[in-house]
Amino acid sequence: MKNSGKSSKTTAKKAGRPAGTGFITELDRYLFGQGTHYKIFEKLGAHPRTYGGKPGMYFAVWAPHAKSVGVVGDFNGWDPEASPMKPLEDSGIYEAFIPGLGTGELYKFAITTKDDKILFKADPYAFSAEFRPGTASITTDISGFSWSDEKWMEKRKHTEPEKAPMAIYEVHLGSWRKASRPEKDGYYTYKEAAHELADYVVKMGYTHVELMGIAEHPYDGSWGYQVTGYYAPTSRYGGPKDFMYFVNYLHKKGIGVILDWVPAHFPKDAHGLADFDGEPLYEYADPRKGEHPDWGTKVFDYGKNEVKNFLIANALYWVENFHVDGLRVDAVASMLYLDYGRSDGNWVPNQYGENKNLEAIEFFRHLNSVLTGHMTGAIMIAEESTAWPGVTKAPEEGGLGFTFKWNMGWMHDFLEYMKLDPYFRKFNHNKMTFGITYATSENYILTLSHDEVVHLKCSMINKMPGFPDDKFANLKAGYTFMMGHPGKKLLFMGQDFGQYHEWDEKTALDWYLAEEPQHRDLLKYYSDLLHIYQKYPALYRLDSDWNGFQWINANDGDRSIFSFIRRDETGKKNLLFVINFTPMARDDYRVGVPKSGTYTLILDNEHGLYKRGEHAFSKRSVKSECDGQPYSFAYPLPAYGTAVFRFN
């Protein structure tokens, strides 16, 4: 970007102050001030318009503390005085219309503060932004995309997410694959990624893709969690309509799209939201509330209507304009607790002397009510790492109104168990059983996310103990337990084929490993699990209902074997899971079952999924008490053995 941070002389004709264009009405200003203008992004920002019979570009920005504001760009030599904006009474909004200006132009707002400093700020509502290290916004028209995902969108309206299968593939587009070209660091474009990613996801059996870091951000190392352009799909992979193509294509292939969304905090970059008009505007003014000491970022002011409107409208923008199926809300706990990451004496209690952020609680209830009410079938997912009650309960019942919550407790216990040498697992058996005791308290997603395979935590395969053969066998057993456990599923990219090294956003996954025998076998096995998961409603219909799960033996700690049943409402095609977490084979393992009948093996760790026509064996239960059940049958359970049986 040329001279984007400096004032310069220009020969361009200076635009006069408009008397008021009428593009932002009194009603717009009122709703924005109330925090209920859910399409404010159609008014603030930059939009192609016709005014006085002349086509051009209309600009509007909220900067109530500014002394004056101007639009700057290549079109006027970045001169703060060339295109002044007019304040609209009692709203803090400035507007300007520049005739003859089209799309594709770099621009910023030149904000003169009360102490006569000039700040060059990117547009908070910009639909497109410059590729890093550039920091300007780009005039863009996002209208006119031809959607063809009607079948998906109609199906979504009639889907009950809690009772539907959800196996999420978490993806960082910039490092999923790389193209052999120098432009933009070899990033795949949205269009390129759409085709290859869809093929992979369909073949594997995932139901959804969750994308990290799609909103514009300046620093790759933030992974997209320090956002400067909340309304702009990152230019790393293309423009807004390219991202629309991505979502549209995945929908046509039957794949849902979830975005990571960050309303918790934002960075202090000079062109961003921090001290936007010379004073705290989007953030709390008191640094004890307005700054995250651990992250070096600013905290949104959830008590300010215009700020809440900015965020709630942004959530609706992604779901409505880009047909996104849901948002995974990052760092929810940091928003709910006033003392999150803060030492004693460095946080401000609420009016009751407590550490709960009452404004953030109200924000979540408002947000989730509006989004799930406006967009039927869209989901909201909370990354909430504490035991906050009622995260997925309705606001009218005292909850926060999310559809799902990441089960961080299960993830922690599961990984601690899986990292143990098998000898010591018998002393930690409860780490794998404890999750069931609270499985119905929320609508959960079991997550093995990017956060668990970075910062010296090791990849999933290298968390496993033992020699290579043991590592792969352990991971098969762990993934089988995860697939059988109540809750939707999420796995980060590369962990399905056993990526060795930790995830690095700068490099692509080691896809060559997926062709090596052990990795290929693990990948096929995880795909088999995914296909079983989608095929059998017992694995997803009653995730939050005690009727959907039954322990057969939760107490076989000495042998580190777990057995349990999953059911749906019909009682047909129930599944029995048996999982051995030691290298000791049990040649005549006997498992208790509740009824007389035939139990057919449909998957094990040696063969994977038994397809139709293959000769998987069946066992007829006999009247012989075992595991507290009236019937039982015996079969050979190998080292690290997994077995899934179907029965009616």
Side-chain angles (χ1 to χ4, degrees):
M1 187 181 72
K2 300 177 182 178
N3 299 321
S4 59
K6 297 181 180 179
S7 171
S8 64
K9 296 292 182 181
T10 179
T11 57
K13 184 178 179 180
K14 295 183 179 180
R17 287 185 180 274
T21 61
F23 290 134
I24 292 183
T25 66
E26 184 177 349
L27 179 60
D28 291 325
R29 299 196 294 273
Y30 171 78
L31 292 175
F32 183 52
Q34 295 296 305
T36 56
H37 197 317
Y38 301 130
K39 292 195 175 183
I40 189 63
F41 52 84
E42 294 181 350
K43 299 293 181 139
L44 295 180
H47 304 276
R49 295 285 189 269
T50 298
Y51 181 64
K54 297 179 180 180
M57 193 65 60
Y58 173 76
F59 298 88
V61 64
W62 179 55
H65 303 126
K67 191 172 183 179
S68 63
V69 184
V71 185
V72 295
D74 285 338
F75 50 85
N76 63 12
W78 301 94
D79 182 355
E81 299 179 0
S83 304
M85 304 181 76
K86 176 183 174 61
L88 299 179
E89 59 178 320
D90 301 325
S91 66
I93 296 173
Y94 288 76
E95 69 168 2
F97 177 78
I98 302 179
L101 195 64
T103 58
E105 295 280 357
L106 301 181
Y107 74 97
K108 283 187 176 181
F109 295 117
I111 298 175
T112 302
T113 67
K114 290 177 180 177
D115 56 359
D116 292 322
K117 291 181 181 178
I118 299 179
L119 307 176
F120 291 88
K121 292 288 189 176
D123 180 0
Y125 289 86
F127 296 145
S128 186
E130 236 187 327
F131 179 62
R132 57 148 175 78
T135 58
S137 302
I138 303 174
T139 57
T140 307
D141 184 1
I142 63 170
S143 65
F145 182 80
S146 180
W147 291 94
S148 54
D149 61 346
E150 298 85 2
K151 288 184 179 179
W152 173 272
M153 297 298 285
E154 185 62 25
K155 177 184 175 183
R156 194 179 83 180
K157 290 180 183 178
H158 304 288
T159 297
E160 293 182 78
E162 298 85 354
K163 294 185 177 182
M166 183 176 292
I168 303 168
Y169 185 52
E170 188 188 25
V171 175
H172 178 264
L173 274 186
S175 56
W176 184 66
R177 289 187 188 272
K178 294 273 192 181
S180 56
R181 57 172 179 254
E183 304 90 71
K184 291 191 174 181
D185 298 334
Y187 289 139
Y188 268 35
T189 66
Y190 289 118
K191 289 185 176 182
E192 290 171 332
H195 291 260
E196 291 196 28
L197 184 59
D199 288 347
Y200 182 80
V201 167
V202 169
K203 180 179 179 181
M204 284 296 296
Y206 294 101
T207 64
H208 291 72
V209 167
E210 180 177 319
L211 299 178
M212 299 167 58
I214 290 303
E216 193 60 80
H217 52 284
Y219 176 50
D220 290 3
S222 77
W223 310 334
Y225 296 114
Q226 295 195 12
V227 178
T228 51
Y230 275 80
Y231 286 82
T234 178
S235 57
R236 288 166 174 80
Y237 320 123
K241 290 184 179 178
D242 297 324
F243 184 57
M244 291 177 183
Y245 179 94
F246 176 94
V247 177
N248 189 63
Y249 187 84
L250 264 64
H251 280 178
K252 291 199 295 182
K253 294 294 184 177
I255 305 163
V257 179
I258 300 167
L259 299 189
D260 281 0
W261 188 60
V262 193
H265 63 131
F266 56 89
K268 297 179 181 178
D269 295 65
H271 68 286
L273 297 177
D275 294 317
F276 185 77
D277 54 5
E279 299 180 27
L281 182 63
Y282 286 88
E283 67 268 45
Y284 284 112
D286 188 333
R288 293 175 299 171
K289 292 179 69 176
E291 295 198 19
H292 273 304
D294 292 342
W295 302 335
T297 53
K298 297 283 190 177
V299 180
F300 282 105
D301 184 345
Y302 309 109
K304 195 175 291 181
N305 286 341
E306 295 88 349
V307 173
K308 289 185 289 186
N309 202 151
F310 171 80
L311 291 170
I312 293 172
N314 184 244
L316 285 166
Y317 166 79
W318 290 109
V319 172
E320 188 172 77
N321 290 61
F322 292 88
H323 290 200
V324 165
D325 300 293
L327 302 174
R328 197 277 294 183
V329 182
D330 185 64
V332 168
S334 74
M335 300 169 65
L336 292 173
Y337 296 97
L338 292 164
D339 59 348
Y340 186 93
R342 298 177 176 90
S343 58
D344 290 345
N346 291 307
W347 59 279
V348 183
N350 65 26
Q351 65 194 70
Y352 304 110
E354 300 171 336
N355 67 341
K356 298 177 181 178
N357 189 331
L358 302 178
E359 295 166 343
I361 294 170
E362 187 278 330
F363 165 76
F364 280 132
R365 290 171 175 168
H366 186 177
L367 164 73
N368 291 324
S369 296
V370 169
L371 189 131
T372 56
H374 274 61
M375 304 303 298
T376 305
I379 62 174
M380 294 294 284
I381 303 168
E383 185 212 12
E384 204 287 304
S385 55
T386 74
W388 188 281
V391 172
T392 59
K393 283 188 177 180
E396 54 269 26
E397 297 174 359
L400 298 181
F402 284 94
T403 320
F404 295 106
K405 173 182 173 175
W406 272 19
N407 195 334
M408 311 291 279
W410 173 88
M411 174 274 298
H412 180 269
D413 289 344
F414 173 80
L415 292 180
E416 287 300 307
Y417 180 88
M418 293 304 302
K419 288 186 288 188
L420 292 171
D421 183 287
Y423 175 80
F424 295 103
R425 286 175 176 167
K426 61 186 175 183
F427 306 114
N428 292 270
H429 198 72
N430 67 314
K431 289 188 183 300
M432 296 291 266
T433 59
F434 181 62
I436 294 298
T437 65
Y438 61 87
T440 62
S441 64
E442 302 276 7
N443 298 324
Y444 284 115
I445 297 177
L446 309 183
T447 60
L448 297 172
S449 75
H450 66 277
D451 276 328
E452 310 317 317
V453 293
V454 291
H455 301 324
L456 303 181
K457 294 178 184 176
C458 295
S459 64
M460 284 300 300
I461 192 68
N462 277 332
K463 292 182 195 295
M464 302 298 109
F467 294 108
D469 287 351
D470 299 297
K471 288 179 179 292
F472 283 93
N474 266 289
L475 199 50
K476 280 186 178 181
Y479 285 160
T480 306
F481 185 87
M482 176 184 182
M483 205 62 67
H485 193 288
K488 312 308 179 187
K489 325 297 176 187
L490 178 144
L491 186 68
F492 183 57
M493 64 182 196
Q495 310 315 306
D496 48 10
F497 64 77
Q499 169 100 5
Y500 278 133
H501 70 72
E502 290 186 328
W503 172 58
D504 182 351
E505 82 280 352
K506 297 183 291 296
T507 60
L509 298 180
D510 293 332
W511 285 104
Y512 71 90
L513 288 175
E515 301 303 319
E516 296 187 1
Q518 286 183 311
H519 297 269
R520 186 173 63 244
D521 180 59
L522 175 64
L523 186 66
K524 179 184 178 299
Y525 185 81
Y526 193 74
S527 178
D528 288 344
L529 286 172
L530 290 171
H531 282 92
I532 286 176
Y533 174 72
Q534 286 206 56
K535 180 177 180 180
Y536 291 93
L539 292 177
Y540 58 80
R541 290 286 298 177
L542 299 178
D543 276 329
S544 300
D545 188 324
W546 287 120
N547 293 314
F549 180 89
Q550 178 189 346
W551 281 116
I552 293 298
N553 194 336
N555 301 310
D556 196 356
D558 288 341
R559 296 188 295 180
S560 298
I561 297 174
F562 301 85
S563 52
F564 56 86
I565 287 172
R566 293 300 308 274
R567 295 187 177 90
D568 65 7
E569 308 96 320
T570 68
K572 298 178 180 177
K573 293 186 178 179
N574 302 314
L575 298 181
L576 167 67
F577 282 73
V578 182
I579 308 169
N580 177 9
F581 280 101
T582 73
M584 298 294 295
R586 309 291 174 178
D587 294 333
D588 193 30
Y589 179 77
R590 180 165 292 274
V591 59
V593 290
K595 293 184 178 182
S596 173
T598 299
Y599 293 75
T600 302
L601 185 68
I602 61 172
L603 175 139
D604 65 30
N605 58 309
E606 293 185 351
H607 305 95
L609 177 65
Y610 288 88
K611 296 184 172 67
R612 183 176 296 177
E614 295 178 337
H615 299 288
F617 68 86
S618 296
K619 300 292 290 187
R620 183 80 185 176
S621 63
V622 297
K623 184 72 174 177
S624 176
E625 192 276 335
C626 180
D627 296 327
Q629 303 297 319
Y631 298 87
S632 63
F633 65 88
Y635 76 101
L637 180 64
Y640 298 116
T642 67
V644 181
F645 293 89
R646 183 188 71 240
F647 69 100
N648 289 329

